Amino acid sequence: MVSFTACQHNGRYFEQAETLFQQGVEQRTNKQSEAAAESFSQALLAIEHCDRDQPEVQQLKGQIEDNLGFCYWKHELFNEALPLHKDAVELFRALNADTLLMTALRNCGRAESSLGDIEGAKTAYEEALSLSKALNDKTMENDILLELSRDVLLPQGDCVQVIELVTQARANGAEGDSPLTLGVAYYYLSQDNLAMVYLTEATKNEMAGVRMSAYQALCYLHQMQGDYAKALECHELFNENMIQADQVHRSEQVQRIKAEYDLQMQKNSLQAEQKLKSLYLYLILAALLVVLAVTLLLLRQKTLSAKLKAED
């Protein structure tokens, strides 16, 4: 009866976690990252009540953590994002869920890079790239090539390989922020004309952060060429897009969600500890009752034995 009730209890929480996860995925698709973070946080709280030894629970937990980590990363909570991605990687690796593992490793690489760990990012990206090739996932392969070039090779100064890999990915249909990566690579190689072409293309990107970086580089190029009017124009556009990017990435709402999740997890831990203490107290009392009963029984037998001897 207790086992059946526990199964019902776990099932209810699993369904709740699954519903909240799907809700978060939909919100993230619709670019409602703050609402998505709220849904993923609540899903993670629900999944903690389920049996962690069950593969479906482990997989769903990994998916929730990976998506919540992405929301944290998007809003520049890099230190909070990375542990979630790493835990997801371990869960998916244990389950041999290669497609999910590939995505989690890519997210790990992104978070590692944002924290300045270029070697850590390289390791994660290269494993993700290897999996994308094994799975014949061309879209993911191209995306990883772009991010590996931007987050690892460019900071390492390997601009020639950056151009080679990004050009390869673009030839296969990849877009993203590839014009910015190419523009910066050509800029570092002092090929200013090509840098101008790609940086100008990058200013048409839908992401304010990409436009901001493109205008910043263009400002320097125009300055070096003596076109100060154009440099001033790019500087103003850089400031404008920087404000937009800051509004997109920085979110007090997401930080509040993280704080509330941590508080609830602490509360759950305290409740579990209290339940454990109550169980220990119950077991101690039960043991004392057994000892008392045995003692009374022994006393009764002893009294009865003495009485029989007296009668004899």
Side-chain angles (χ1 to χ4, degrees):
M1 182 65 179
V2 174
S3 177
F4 176 71
T5 305
C7 287
Q8 283 186 314
H9 183 73
N10 283 333
R12 187 171 71 251
Y13 276 115
F14 184 83
E15 287 177 9
Q16 182 184 352
E18 204 168 30
T19 300
L20 286 163
F21 169 68
Q22 293 300 334
Q23 180 178 293
V25 169
E26 186 176 342
Q27 289 164 333
R28 182 183 155 185
T29 302
N30 294 329
K31 298 183 178 180
Q32 300 171 332
S33 58
E34 293 179 356
E38 180 78 51
S39 296
F40 292 138
S41 293
Q42 293 301 316
L44 199 53
L45 287 171
I47 204 72
E48 291 295 337
H49 293 281
C50 300
D51 184 354
R52 299 180 187 183
D53 293 330
Q54 296 299 315
E56 62 270 21
V57 171
Q58 294 171 358
Q59 178 169 312
L60 181 56
K61 185 184 179 187
Q63 289 175 285
I64 294 167
E65 288 182 326
D66 204 31
N67 279 270
L68 180 58
F70 178 84
C71 292
Y72 285 162
W73 174 84
K74 183 181 171 94
H75 292 281
E76 300 186 349
L77 299 175
F78 307 134
N79 284 309
E80 288 78 6
L82 185 57
L84 290 170
H85 292 315
K86 283 190 170 182
D87 195 51
V89 164
E90 293 308 313
L91 288 168
F92 297 146
R93 199 188 297 282
L95 293 167
N96 293 317
D98 287 347
T99 301
L100 294 172
L101 175 60
M102 172 181 64
T103 303
L105 283 165
R106 176 190 175 187
N107 289 333
C108 252
R110 191 187 288 129
E112 297 268 21
S113 169
S114 297
L115 288 168
D117 185 357
I118 304 304
E119 286 303 317
K122 183 180 180 182
T123 301
Y125 276 136
E126 286 180 345
E127 187 178 353
L129 184 61
S130 177
L131 281 169
S132 71
K133 290 177 179 178
L135 294 167
N136 198 30
D137 189 335
K138 294 297 182 183
T139 301
M140 182 65 83
E141 181 182 342
N142 289 330
D143 288 343
I144 294 170
L145 282 174
L146 292 181
E147 292 179 13
L148 175 65
S149 300
R150 179 196 67 202
D151 296 341
V152 175
L153 300 176
L154 198 58
Q156 290 179 336
D158 195 350
C159 295
V160 173
Q161 192 177 6
V162 166
I163 292 167
E164 180 185 333
L165 293 180
V166 174
T167 302
Q168 174 190 330
R170 281 167 65 91
N172 292 329
E175 294 181 6
D177 57 0
S178 58
L180 176 63
T181 306
L182 282 173
V184 172
Y186 281 119
Y187 170 77
Y188 285 144
L189 291 172
S190 299
Q191 297 185 36
D192 294 351
N193 290 334
L194 281 170
M196 284 273 196
V197 170
Y198 287 111
L199 290 170
T200 301
E201 184 183 345
T203 62
K204 298 176 176 62
N205 193 283
E206 63 175 10
M207 296 174 64
V210 173
R211 297 195 302 270
M212 175 192 76
S213 298
Y215 281 121
Q216 184 180 35
L218 283 169
C219 179
Y220 291 143
L221 284 171
H222 287 303
Q223 233 178 334
M224 286 189 295
Q225 292 177 353
D227 191 344
Y228 297 111
K230 197 68 178 174
L232 181 60
E233 181 186 336
C234 287
H235 181 69
E236 289 172 352
L237 288 166
F238 160 74
N239 285 332
E240 181 183 313
N241 282 278
M242 180 176 65
I243 293 169
Q244 291 180 27
D246 191 61
Q247 289 172 343
V248 170
H249 292 294
R250 293 192 181 279
S251 170
E252 292 181 3
Q253 175 76 357
V254 173
Q255 292 180 29
R256 178 191 63 78
I257 291 167
K258 175 68 171 63
E260 287 180 354
Y261 167 76
D262 288 342
L263 185 63
Q264 187 60 49
M265 283 298 291
Q266 187 178 23
K267 184 180 176 182
N268 289 350
S269 178
L270 288 171
Q271 287 176 342
E273 188 178 340
Q274 189 61 43
K275 285 180 181 177
L276 192 60
K277 285 180 179 177
S278 298
L279 178 61
Y280 285 154
L281 181 60
Y282 172 79
L283 291 173
I284 290 168
L285 288 173
L288 287 173
L289 286 172
V290 169
V291 170
L292 181 61
V294 170
T295 303
L296 289 173
L297 182 61
L298 290 172
L299 285 171
R300 185 178 177 185
Q301 286 180 337
K302 190 174 180 181
T303 303
L304 183 60
S305 178
K307 191 175 181 180
L308 288 171
K309 284 181 180 178
E311 287 178 358
D312 290 343

